[in-house]
Amino acid sequence: FVFLHGYDAEEDLVESLANKSTNERIKAIQKLPETMRKKRAIRDKVLREITEKSRHRGAQPSCCTQCLQGAAVSFRRFGNTLSEYFHLLRIWHKTLKIIGAEFGTSVLSYFVFLKWLLNFNLFSFLINFGFITIPQLLAAEPNNLSFTGLELITGAGYFQQTVLYYGFYTNATISKIENGPSYNMQLAYIFTVGIYFVICFLILLFSMAKSFYRNFINPQSFSGNASKLLCTWDFNITSEKAVKLKQKNLGTQIKEDLTEVNKEVLNYSAMERLLRLAVHLLAWVASLGTAAAACTGVYFLSINNLELFMKGHGNDLESQAATLVLPVIASLLNALIPFFFSWLGHLERFQTPGQHIYVTITRIIILKMSIVGILCYYWLNIAATSESQCWETLVGQDIYRLVLVDFILCLLGSFFGEFLRRIIGTTVFVSLGLPEFDIGRNVLDLIYAQTLTWIGILFSPLLPGIQMIAFLIVFFVKKVSLMRNCQPPRKVWRTAQMMTSFIFLLFCPSFLGVLSVIAVAVWRLKPSEGCGPFRGLSSMYAAVSEWIQILESYTASKWVAWIYRNLITSELFFFVLSTIVLIVTYLYWQIIQGRKTMTKRLHEQLIN
C-alpha cells in the first residue's frame, strides 16, 4: 500500500510538472528535495509525458520548432555536463571536508587561507599577463642570451632579457598597424599595477569585514548549539562514505563547542603568577633579541649582494652561487627561528592552544616583517641610488630568488619538520608520538611569501604566476604531509576568529607595508636611465602627469583632467572622504553593538 501510494504521488508530480511552462518546470525540479539521480529520472518522465500528450493530440510541431527544441535540449544537456565536469575539477571541496573532519577547524583554517591566496594570485597573474605581458611580447626583440638551466634557480642570465623583469619592457608606444590604434606601455604598466592594488585593497577590506561579521557579530554566535544536533544533518546524502565523513565532521564541531563551554579557568597563587610573568618576559626578550640579530645579518648580507651585482653578471658557477647567499640565509632565518619561537611557547605553558598560537604568530610576524623591512630599505635606499645600470631588475631578481628559496625550504620543512619527526616519534622516542600541525608557523610562511609577491609585482610582473604554482604545490604537499605524518590537536578547540585574524595580518602590516614601499618607488625614486618603460622620467608617476597635460589640450578630455586636478590630487577630497567613511563606520558599529545587546537579551529570555 505504501509503495502504491508513493507511486501515485510521483505520477501526480509528473503530471503537474508536465502542465507547467519550461522555465517553471526547470525551477520546480531544481527545488525538489531529492538526489540528482532522482531529479534526472523525474525530468525524463516529465519529458516522456509531454511527448505522449503531444502525440495524443496529434499536434506535430513544425520542422523549425523541432530544430529549435532539439538545439535547446542539446545546449541544456551540454551545460549540465560541463557543470558536472567543473564540479569534479573543484579539487578543494572534498579535501577541505576531510581535513575539517579529521583535524578540526583550526587546521582547516590554514588550508582555506591557502586556497584563498591561490585564487588571489591567479587573479593578479591574469591582469598582469593580459595588460602588460602580452602587448610587450608583440613588440619584443629576440633574446640572444643562451639558456643554461641555472636561471631557474638564480633568476639571472637568460631571464634578464625576458618579460619576467621590469628592465625588458619598452617605453615606446606599441602599434602593429600603421596609423592604427596604439598602446602606451608606460600608462598600461602603471595603471595596471595601480588598479590591481586598489582592487586588492577593496577585496581585503570586504573579506575582512565579511569574516568579522560572520565570526564576531553574527547573531548565530550567541545562539545555543542545540541546532548542531537537531538541524544540521543533510538528508540528501546517500553515499555511505559521505555519511561517515559528515558524522565525523559534526562530531569534531560538537567537541570544539563543548571545549568552549567547559573551558577550565586555573587560579594561580601570587608567587606562581609572578613566576609565569617572568617566564613570559624572558621569552619576549629572547624572541625580540633573536629577530634583531637576524635583521642585522640580513642587512650586511644585502650590502655584499649589491657589491656582487655591481661587479658584473658573471656566468660562471661561483658568481651564480654567490647571488644565492642572501636569499638562502634570509629564508633559513625565516624557516628556523619560528621553531625556536614555538619551543618558547611550549615553555610558557599557556592555558589554551589559542593563546599559544596567537603569541607565536605575533613573534613570527615581527621577525618576518622586520626582515622584509630591512630588505626594502636596502632596495629603495641603497640599490636604487647605486650606479647599477638597472636597479629595478636587481630588485626583481632578488625577490625571485627569495620566493623560490622560500618555496624550496617550505617543502623541506614538511619533510624534516613533519616526516622525520613522525619517524623519530614512532620508532626512537615513542613517548613523543606524532607531531601536531604548526598552524602559526605555516600561516606566517604564506603571509611572508605573499608579501614578497606584492612587492615584486612592480619589478617582476609575472611573479604572481610563479607564486600561484608554488602555492598549488604547497597545498598538496601539506595535505599529504598532514594526513600521513600529523595527528589531530590534543586539545580540541574552536577557531571561529582564526580566518579573520589571518586576513587582518595579511592586510596589516603586510599589505599596508607593501603599499608604502610601492608608493616610495613610484613617487620618489628615479627610474633607471637605460631600461624599463619609465626610462628618462624623473619618477614613474611622471608618466601620468605628462598624460594629463596632453589631455588638457583636447576639449573632449578636459573632464578627465578636472577629476585628476580636483579629486585625485586633492588632499581636501581625501580628507572629506575619510571623514565620511569614519562616520559611516561609527554608525554601523553602534548599530552592531545595539543588535548584539538585543540578541543577548533575547537569548537570556529564551533560557528563562
Side-chain angles (χ1 to χ4, degrees), residues 126-179:
L126 292 176
I127 286 182
N128 288 353
F129 189 76
F131 292 99
I132 299 178
T133 304
I134 291 179
Q136 177 60 38
L137 289 172
L138 296 176
E141 297 179 357
N143 192 342
N144 297 322
L145 298 176
S146 59
F147 182 77
T148 61
L150 277 174
E151 292 86 350
L152 294 173
I153 301 174
T154 63
Y158 179 84
F159 284 159
Q160 286 182 245
Q161 299 300 320
T162 63
V163 291
L164 182 61
Y165 294 121
Y166 164 95
F168 182 72
Y169 289 82
T170 181
N171 64 336
T173 299
I174 299 172
S175 179
K176 301 300 290 185
I177 304 173
E178 189 175 354
N179 296 326

Side-chain angles (χ1 to χ4, degrees), residues 425-437:
T426 54
T427 56
V428 183
F429 300 103
V430 183
S431 59
L432 292 176
L434 295 175
E436 292 186 20
F437 189 79

Side-chain angles (χ1 to χ4, degrees), residues 107-248:
V107 177
L108 176 65
S109 61
Y110 166 80
F111 288 90
V112 172
F113 185 60
L114 176 55
K115 186 196 77 159
W116 191 77
L117 287 179
L118 185 62
N119 294 332
F120 221 93
N121 282 283
L122 175 62
F123 167 71
S124 173
F125 170 73
L126 292 176
I127 286 182
N128 288 353
F129 189 76
F131 292 99
I132 299 178
T133 304
I134 291 179
Q136 177 60 38
L137 289 172
L138 296 176
E141 297 179 357
N143 192 342
N144 297 322
L145 298 176
S146 59
F147 182 77
T148 61
L150 277 174
E151 292 86 350
L152 294 173
I153 301 174
T154 63
Y158 179 84
F159 284 159
Q160 286 182 245
Q161 299 300 320
T162 63
V163 291
L164 182 61
Y165 294 121
Y166 164 95
F168 182 72
Y169 289 82
T170 181
N171 64 336
T173 299
I174 299 172
S175 179
K176 301 300 290 185
I177 304 173
E178 189 175 354
N179 296 326
S182 59
Y183 196 82
N184 192 320
M185 182 54 73
Q186 288 183 343
L187 296 177
Y189 202 100
I190 194 167
F191 279 139
T192 301
V193 174
I195 292 172
Y196 166 72
F197 277 111
V198 170
I199 295 173
C200 283
F201 179 81
L202 296 175
I203 290 175
L204 282 172
L205 214 58
F206 177 77
S207 301
M208 199 160 48
K210 184 179 178 182
S211 182
F212 183 80
Y213 171 79
R214 185 170 58 245
N215 297 320
F216 283 90
I217 60 179
N218 192 351
Q220 292 180 0
S221 61
F222 300 102
S223 62
N225 293 316
S227 60
K228 276 206 173 79
L229 291 172
L230 303 176
C231 311
T232 310
W233 189 257
D234 184 1
F235 287 93
N236 283 331
I237 297 175
T238 57
S239 169
E240 184 179 355
K241 190 174 181 181
V243 167
K244 289 182 178 179
L245 183 61
K246 185 71 174 179
Q247 287 175 340
K248 190 175 289 186

Side-chain angles (χ1 to χ4, degrees), residues 13 17 20-34 39 42-43 46 76:
L13 175 64
L17 289 172
K20 294 182 177 181
S21 64
T22 304
N23 290 332
E24 291 177 348
R25 184 166 60 247
I26 291 172
K27 289 180 181 178
I29 293 175
Q30 287 176 346
K31 290 179 180 179
L32 290 175
E34 302 289 349
K39 289 180 181 179
I42 292 173
R43 182 194 63 190
V46 171
R76 194 181 302 121

Side-chain angles (χ1 to χ4, degrees), residues 302-303 305-306 374-383 394 398:
S302 61
I303 299 299
N305 182 70
L306 179 62
I374 291 294
L375 290 171
C376 289
Y377 175 81
Y378 152 68
W379 290 327
L380 300 181
N381 291 278
I382 298 176
L394 165 64
D398 280 346

Side-chain angles (χ1 to χ4, degrees), residues 105-106 221 228 253 256-257 259-260 492-497:
T105 56
S106 57
S221 61
K228 276 206 173 79
Q253 291 180 26
E256 293 171 352
D257 291 330
T259 305
E260 288 288 312
V492 181
W493 59 294
R494 189 167 62 91
T495 54
Q497 297 88 11

